């Protein structure tokens, strides 16, 4: 009788736990998850392992989740087990803070919680991502990760070994990738693709192609690694040829493949092939991808087909910051300043915040248009109104703009009052303006600074020589020639002292 009553009393709790677990399993929004969390606390089920696991998984891994919220959930667990550590490590491995995985792994070891093969898979992937992003705030050497894999006995797990091969590939260390490959039992296409990527990242394209050709089977990753490698190395014809081979082999490309192919067309200035690739993109259902449309805008603009660039832009249902920047830059570089300014206003009306690239393109447009005062106002508004710190490129553009307008003293003052370090490009822009306007005194000041920055660069001496020649100052020309010879500065190809 007492046992039956006890079972009857427990039944509502069991039912509630099952309901909350099911709700967490099917959750789609963080607002719902927080309600589930509140209900579990009210029912004293906040430490129920199944409910907690499903809540943590959604918050940590789902695209609609909240990793910071997941970490707070994790920190409130009295004794998280391997599954919970794996879940939070997996979340950080996919995040913009992959180095946090190392902290969690070290915490896991301190708390004597044994990792499993999934722990290492997520950890290794996090280190690959951290290496790509350049985030090494937490130190855990790659050999240490590899050693831990061996220590815990997971070297026979193929997907762990493949993750190690990929890590060494991302690092551009083919020798280490080969070492793992040779130790791996039952290598598959993922293993081979890692080797191809390792040689590509190391700049060893011939060796990468050799591995690629030797692969018993090829997947989209291996094809893409080779196509991208050729494209980035400016071996654009090889990239295009391999892409068409890929198509003939019946392997469907992905977004990365096609961006690399469009980039190859851009590098070659091959509009005809670019149009063919664009047709392929539309016919195979890739035309909606924003990154591809961005690449096509850039390709058409650099191939001189602004009409087609506008066509791609106007037909996009979604636009990223890069989309707006690509179109604004295209208009600026082709001298369509009014279009660039109009796009900027449309961009702001679309609630897209500009960045440094946006302002650089607009400053170029103002320079082409000769609108110095308007350009200067925009330059001043960058930080004040939009929170964008001007870089040395923005200062260089302003110096060029002022120099072209003959406002050399203003350009000089702008350089010497820069809050960041100037460089030879900025001073070189001012020297070019001194040559145009025959300003000897300013030219001497600028060259003195340039000699400090790059004493072995002869081109600056040549420009100052030309200023002296234009001002009929023969003595200074001879002094400049002697100074150049004594300093050992090299002249630019095609420059000559003959007739000076």
């Amino acid at each position: 009788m007492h046992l039956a009553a006890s079972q009857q009393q427990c039944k509502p709790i069991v039912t509630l736990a099952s309901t909350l677990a099911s709700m967490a399993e099917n959750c789609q929004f963080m607002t719902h998850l927080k309600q589930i969390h509140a209900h579990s606390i009210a029912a004293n089920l906040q430490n129920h392992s199944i409910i907690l696991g499903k809540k943590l998984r959604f918050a940590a891994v789902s695209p609609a989740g909240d990793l910071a919220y997941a970490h707070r959930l994790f920190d409130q667990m009295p004794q998280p087990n391997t599954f919970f550590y794996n879940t939070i490590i997996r979340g950080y491995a996919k995040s913009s803070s992959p180095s946090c995985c190392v902290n969690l792994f070290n915490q896991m070891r301190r708390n004597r919680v044994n990792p499993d093969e999934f722990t290492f898979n997520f950890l290794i992937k996090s280190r690959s991502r951290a290496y790509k992003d350049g985030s090494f705030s937490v130190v855990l050497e790659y050999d240490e990760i590899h050693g831990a894999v061996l220590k815990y006995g997971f070297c026979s797990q193929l997907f762990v070994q493949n993750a190690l091969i990929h890590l060494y590939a991302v690092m551009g260390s083919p020798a280490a990738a080969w070492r793992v490959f040779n130790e791996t039992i039952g290598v598959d296409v993922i293993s081979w693709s890692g080797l191809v990527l390792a040689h590509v990242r190391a700049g060893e394209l011939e060796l990468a192609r050799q591995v690629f050709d030797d692969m018993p089977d090829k997947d989209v990753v291996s094809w893409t690694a080779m196509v991208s490698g050729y494209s980035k190395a400016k071996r654009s014809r090889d990239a295009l040829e391999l892409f068409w081979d890929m198509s003939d082999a019946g392997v469907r490309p992905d977004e990365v493949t096609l961006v690399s192919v469009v980039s190859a067309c851009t590098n070659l200035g091959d509009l005809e092939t670019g149009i063919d690739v664009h047709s392929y993109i539309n016919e195979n259902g890739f035309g909606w991808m924003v990154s591809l449309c961005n690449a096509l805008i850039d390709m058409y603009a650099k191939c001189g087909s602004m009409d087609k660039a506008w066509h791609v832009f106007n037909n996009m249902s979604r636009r990223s910051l890069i989309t707006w920047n690509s179109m604004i830059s295209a208009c600026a570089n082709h001298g369509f300043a009014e279009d660039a300014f109009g796009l900027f206003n449309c961009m702001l009306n679309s609630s897209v915040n500009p960045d440094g690239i946006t302002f650089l393109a607009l400053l170029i447009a103002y320079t082409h248009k000769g609108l110095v005062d308007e350009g200067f106002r925009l330059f001043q508004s960058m930080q004040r109104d939009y929170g964008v710190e001007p870089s040395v490129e923005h200062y260089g553009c302003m110096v060029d703009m002022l120099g072209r307008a003959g406002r050399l003293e203003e350009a000089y003052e702008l350089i010497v009052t820069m809050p960041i370090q100037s460089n030879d490009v900025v001073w070189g822009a001012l020297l070019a303006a001194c040559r145009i306007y025959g300003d000897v005194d300013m030219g001497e000041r600028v060259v003195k600074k340039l000699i400090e920055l790059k004493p072995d660069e002869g081109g600056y001496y040549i420009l100052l020589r030309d200023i002296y020649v234009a001002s009929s100052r023969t003595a200074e020309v001879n002094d400049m020639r002697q100074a150049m010879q004594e300093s050992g500065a090299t002249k630019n190809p095609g420059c000559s002292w003959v007739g000076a």
Side-chain angles (χ1 to χ4, degrees):
M1 190 67 162
H2 290 294
L3 179 59
S6 176
Q7 288 174 336
Q8 188 68 27
Q9 192 175 16
C10 290
K11 190 172 181 180
I13 297 176
V14 172
T15 303
L16 180 58
S18 300
T19 301
L20 290 173
S22 177
M23 290 171 65
E25 174 76 29
N26 298 300
C27 184
Q28 295 183 353
F29 304 101
M30 277 303 301
T31 51
H32 294 167
L33 188 78
K34 290 175 182 178
Q35 291 171 357
I36 295 165
H37 190 187
H39 281 302
S40 63
I41 292 172
N44 199 27
L45 292 169
Q46 65 269 28
N47 291 323
H48 190 285
S49 60
I50 297 176
I51 299 172
L52 196 51
K54 297 195 182 295
K55 286 191 297 184
L56 183 67
R57 182 174 181 178
F58 176 82
V61 179
S62 170
D66 183 335
L67 191 54
Y69 190 90
H71 206 141
R72 288 196 296 274
L73 277 176
F74 179 82
D75 286 341
Q76 291 166 11
M77 296 180 190
Q79 289 181 315
N81 60 22
T82 302
F83 170 79
F84 292 120
Y85 271 105
N86 285 352
T87 303
I88 193 70
I89 289 173
R90 180 185 177 189
Y92 275 108
K94 296 170 61 179
S95 77
S96 58
S97 304
S99 292
C100 292
C101 294
V102 177
N103 280 333
L104 289 161
F105 179 67
N106 289 334
Q107 176 186 327
M108 188 178 188
R109 292 195 290 184
R110 285 194 302 272
N111 292 337
R112 300 183 184 280
V113 178
N114 287 328
D116 62 12
E117 62 269 32
F118 299 105
T119 314
F120 285 108
N121 189 43
F122 300 141
L123 179 65
I124 295 165
K125 286 181 177 179
S126 78
R127 299 312 289 156
S128 297
R129 183 161 187 162
Y131 190 89
K132 286 181 183 176
D133 297 343
S135 52
F136 298 102
S137 55
V138 182
V139 177
L140 185 67
E141 294 297 333
Y142 306 104
D143 286 344
E144 185 181 347
I145 296 178
H146 197 162
V149 169
L150 296 172
K151 175 184 174 182
Y152 285 96
F154 295 114
C155 54
S156 62
Q157 295 289 338
L158 180 58
F159 68 91
V160 174
Q161 293 294 83
N162 282 343
L164 277 172
I165 292 171
H166 183 77
L167 172 60
Y168 288 125
V170 169
M171 293 170 59
S173 300
W178 270 106
R179 189 170 67 246
V180 179
F181 180 88
N182 290 329
E183 293 169 354
T184 301
I185 300 170
V187 294
D188 60 7
V189 67
I190 298 173
S191 318
W192 283 96
S193 295
L195 291 182
V196 174
L197 180 61
H199 286 296
V200 168
R201 290 297 292 258
E204 300 170 351
L205 289 180
E206 298 307 323
L207 291 173
R209 185 58 187 265
Q210 185 176 329
V211 173
F212 177 81
D213 290 339
D214 289 343
M215 290 179 68
D217 296 296
K218 299 176 180 66
D219 63 359
V220 64
V221 176
S222 50
W223 284 97
T224 299
M226 277 310 314
V227 171
S228 300
Y230 280 140
S231 183
K232 288 176 182 176
K234 300 297 188 286
R235 291 177 56 174
S236 302
R237 290 293 178 202
D238 291 328
L240 292 172
E241 182 180 339
L242 193 62
F243 169 68
W244 296 122
D245 289 344
M246 178 181 181
S247 180
D248 291 342
V251 179
R252 183 175 172 83
D254 62 14
E255 188 174 4
V256 178
T257 323
L258 290 168
V259 168
S260 298
V261 172
V262 175
S263 296
C265 296
T266 307
N267 294 336
L268 290 169
D270 189 342
L271 179 59
E272 185 178 349
T273 304
I275 292 171
D276 290 341
V277 172
H278 190 181
S279 296
Y280 178 95
I281 287 169
N282 288 334
E283 289 166 6
N284 287 274
F286 293 102
W288 62 272
M289 293 184 173
V290 175
S291 63
L292 270 176
C293 291
N294 295 343
L296 286 168
I297 290 170
D298 184 58
M299 184 269 291
Y300 281 130
K302 288 179 178 174
C303 289
S305 182
M306 285 297 293
D307 286 345
K308 290 188 179 297
W310 273 112
H311 180 76
V312 174
F313 179 84
N314 288 329
N315 282 281
M316 292 177 70
S317 57
R318 291 188 302 117
R319 299 185 181 109
S320 66
L321 172 61
I322 295 173
T323 311
W324 290 99
N325 284 347
S326 298
M327 202 65 224
I328 292 170
S329 297
C331 292
N333 291 327
H334 282 270
F336 301 122
E338 295 302 330
D339 287 336
F341 304 146
L343 281 165
F344 179 61
N345 289 327
C346 289
M347 175 183 174
L348 296 179
N349 291 334
S350 300
S351 301
V352 178
N353 293 322
D355 64 1
I357 296 171
T358 319
F359 287 107
L360 190 60
L362 291 170
L363 290 174
I364 290 169
Y366 279 118
T367 301
H368 287 325
K369 197 77 173 175
L371 300 172
V372 182
D373 292 332
E374 292 86 346
F376 202 81
R377 281 196 291 272
L378 179 77
F379 178 76
Q380 291 176 317
S381 74
M382 282 177 59
Q383 185 174 2
R384 183 189 66 226
D385 299 334
Y386 301 98
V388 178
E389 289 277 351
S391 68
V392 69
E393 288 80 15
H394 297 101
Y395 280 99
C397 199
M398 282 306 305
V399 169
D400 182 43
M401 187 187 302
L402 291 166
R404 287 172 187 246
R407 294 159 64 167
L408 305 186
E409 284 294 341
E410 288 180 65
Y412 181 84
E413 283 301 314
L414 182 64
I415 298 175
V416 297
T417 57
M418 283 172 59
I420 57 177
Q421 184 69 41
S422 62
N423 63 15
D424 60 299
V425 177
V426 176
W427 286 103
L430 181 53
L431 183 59
C434 293
R435 181 186 185 186
I436 294 169
Y437 288 95
D439 192 327
V440 175
D441 293 337
M442 179 67 76
E444 288 175 336
R445 276 190 280 170
V446 174
V447 166
K448 183 178 179 181
K449 182 64 180 178
L450 283 166
I451 290 170
E452 291 176 11
L453 292 170
K454 280 199 169 183
D456 58 344
E457 175 56 67
Y460 306 130
Y461 293 95
I462 300 295
L463 283 172
L464 183 57
R465 186 281 310 265
D466 290 345
I467 297 171
Y468 286 143
V469 169
S471 302
S472 302
R473 295 173 63 164
T474 308
E476 283 86 347
V477 172
N478 293 330
D479 290 342
M480 181 57 63
R481 175 169 55 186
Q482 184 177 352
M484 182 175 174
Q485 290 170 343
E486 289 175 355
S487 70
T490 57
K491 292 181 287 186
N492 289 334
C495 294
S496 173
W497 289 98
V498 176

